[in-house]
Amino acid sequence: LYSEQTRGLPQEVEVQLPEHWSTVYTSMDTAGEGNRFLAADYDELVDSPILAGNTVEYYFEVDGQPYGLVLSEDNRYWNGEEAAEDAARVIKAQQEFWGTNPFTKKYLVMTVFNDTFAGLEHDHSTVLMANRFAMRDRNDYRRWLGLVSHEVFHAWNVRRMRPDALSEYDYEQESYIRELWLAEGLTSYYDDLLMFRAGVIGVPEYLDLLAGEIRNYETTPGREVRSAEQASFDTWIKHYRQDENSVNSTVSYYRKGAVIGFVTDAAIRRETRGDASLDTVMRTMYQRYGAASNGGYPPGSFEEIIEEVAGPELRKRVEEMIRETIDPDVDEALEWYGLELDRNPLDNGDGPPPAGLGIEVD
């Protein structure tokens, strides 16, 4: 059992499988014969999911680093070899982005087939949930690849580079964090962008995803009453306790953070005439506050590096986007790329415009 006295001690786990189950997967090291596993301490134990059953693994390497795509069952609607190849391309783009490999053992991408769509990051693995028929629909499969991209990006941004508030866990108390717009929101910006850089989606698909991100943000009335920083801090009472009024009372730090990322990226490129970008800021953050720093990054670190890279005026604008309820200037960012966003659904040319009463009926 967990206690502060036992937290730092090695933890051993034995999995006893039913007769009709054949496999166990976890990032923990094996400990002797059978399905026995050893974690260095309690933190590693609870950070190491265990997937047991009749699973199927598709092994692949990226720049010499081993990975495994583990599916919860042999699914005839799912092409595991193709999925592993696409995941490898996305992960290669991640490795090239950060320029460093943080893994000391095989990284597992565990996918459980059910009717939920979700994911959670860990030091040497991630657990994803997806529909067993996802590969039969391009949009559903693209969502799964985006989830792979999102959770693997967290291996750097969150697992090894994290806010001060997450540098020491207290498992019996909530952690109040003001930087989830950075930890989750900027990850949400890069998950689609790195899919594009990996070549698994093209220009039209990426622009469609970007437009959807902007639409989801701009159609949330709560963005006018809650800043990205406030939404991060209130996650325990707002984001994870949604009710019928949430759309009016708060904004997702995932959504606003992604939009802030896009606008900030364009602004850095414009101010530096293409010599730097948000990539530069993120890599600098990791060099200073990544795994080797033995701690988290203090509040304001991101803004300080913005100033170093692109000047004090841009830092001021970024701070306004983070701490105030103003909308990031999406149109200015798009204009720099030579793009324009059409917000008029009447001109879609695909039939009647979307309509609704703003209510859900059960």
Side-chain angles (χ1 to χ4, degrees):
L1 297 177
Y2 167 75
S3 72
E4 283 300 326
Q5 290 72 36
T6 61
R7 180 173 179 174
L9 299 178
Q11 311 282 327
E12 188 170 306
V13 178
E14 180 179 4
V15 180
Q16 297 179 356
L17 292 176
E19 291 184 3
H20 60 286
W21 285 11
S22 58
T23 53
V24 180
Y25 279 91
T26 180
S27 62
M28 287 184 286
D29 293 330
T30 55
E33 298 181 356
N35 296 316
R36 300 176 70 90
F37 304 96
L38 184 66
D41 50 31
Y42 185 83
D43 291 328
E44 183 183 359
L45 173 67
V46 296
D47 182 57
S48 304
I50 300 171
L51 179 58
N54 296 310
T55 57
V56 182
E57 182 189 17
Y58 296 87
Y59 177 87
F60 60 95
E61 291 187 4
V62 176
D63 296 334
Q65 166 63 39
Y67 294 86
L69 170 61
V70 183
L71 305 181
S72 61
E73 63 184 50
D74 187 8
N75 179 1
R76 64 192 178 107
Y77 303 108
W78 193 279
N79 187 330
E81 292 181 356
E82 179 183 341
E85 290 174 3
D86 288 339
R89 294 166 68 184
V90 171
I91 292 172
K92 184 173 178 59
Q94 310 258 354
Q95 294 275 22
E96 291 175 350
F97 175 89
W98 292 106
T100 180
N101 177 16
F103 308 121
T104 58
K105 61 181 78 174
K106 182 168 69 172
Y107 185 97
L108 299 175
V109 179
M110 297 189 280
T111 299
V112 179
F113 295 124
N114 56 27
D115 294 329
T116 306
F117 181 79
L120 190 62
E121 71 277 2
H122 302 278
D123 275 353
H124 285 90
S125 65
T126 181
V127 176
L128 314 177
M129 297 183 184
N131 190 292
R132 69 184 69 251
F133 305 108
M135 288 196 76
R136 301 183 70 181
D137 181 272
R138 175 62 184 174
N139 289 333
D140 289 343
Y141 181 57
R142 188 176 66 184
R143 285 185 75 203
W144 177 81
L145 280 175
L147 191 59
V148 173
S149 183
H150 185 98
E151 303 304 341
V152 174
F153 196 84
H154 274 322
W156 290 266
N157 183 30
V158 169
R159 295 307 310 167
R160 292 165 177 85
M161 180 183 77
R162 61 184 67 170
D164 262 347
L166 289 179
S167 61
E168 291 291 339
Y169 294 119
D170 182 346
Y171 291 105
E172 297 177 331
Q173 302 290 334
E174 299 95 338
S175 296
Y176 290 94
I177 312 157
R178 297 186 183 274
E179 295 87 12
L180 289 177
W181 55 267
L182 193 166
E184 291 289 0
L186 296 193
T187 299
S188 294
Y189 169 59
Y190 274 110
D191 55 21
D192 293 336
L193 183 57
L194 290 174
M195 278 204 298
F196 169 71
R197 293 182 185 176
V200 297
I201 62 173
V203 172
E205 286 184 296
Y206 176 69
L207 294 181
D208 181 55
L209 290 169
L210 179 61
E213 201 76 82
I214 297 169
R215 179 190 64 240
N216 290 339
Y217 167 72
E218 292 188 350
T219 55
T220 302
R223 76 188 195 282
E224 298 179 356
V225 298
R226 190 71 87 233
S227 69
E229 190 176 72
Q230 289 170 328
S232 298
F233 189 79
D234 290 344
T235 185
W236 292 103
I237 61 173
K238 293 284 187 180
H239 186 76
Y240 289 110
R241 293 186 179 180
Q242 298 277 324
D243 59 32
E244 62 276 0
N245 194 48
S246 293
V247 69
N248 299 312
S249 64
T250 192
V251 65
S252 167
Y253 47 78
Y254 286 85
R255 303 287 76 78
K256 186 162 187 178
V259 175
I260 288 173
F262 169 67
V263 171
T264 301
D265 195 4
I268 296 172
R269 294 172 187 272
R270 182 178 60 248
E271 293 298 322
T272 64
R273 298 186 178 184
D275 289 337
S277 68
L278 188 59
D279 298 10
T280 312
V281 175
M282 297 300 288
R283 293 190 192 110
T284 304
M285 284 277 293
Y286 192 80
Q287 290 167 5
R288 292 184 188 174
Y289 305 108
S293 67
N294 296 319
Y297 50 81
S301 301
F302 178 81
E303 298 92 298
E304 289 177 5
I305 297 175
I306 288 286
E307 182 173 353
E308 293 175 18
V309 172
E313 286 301 314
L314 183 55
R315 174 179 180 167
K316 181 180 178 182
R317 288 184 57 192
V318 170
E319 288 176 339
E320 289 174 347
M321 287 190 287
I322 295 168
R323 298 187 175 94
E324 299 180 15
T325 57
I326 62 171
D327 288 332
D329 196 338
V330 169
D331 294 302
E332 181 185 53
L334 289 168
E335 183 181 6
W336 190 83
Y337 291 111
L339 299 170
E340 183 178 355
L341 181 64
D342 183 2
R343 293 177 173 83
N344 185 359
L346 293 174
D347 296 334
N348 62 13
D350 295 326
L357 297 175
I359 62 173
E360 294 182 2
V361 179
D362 186 0

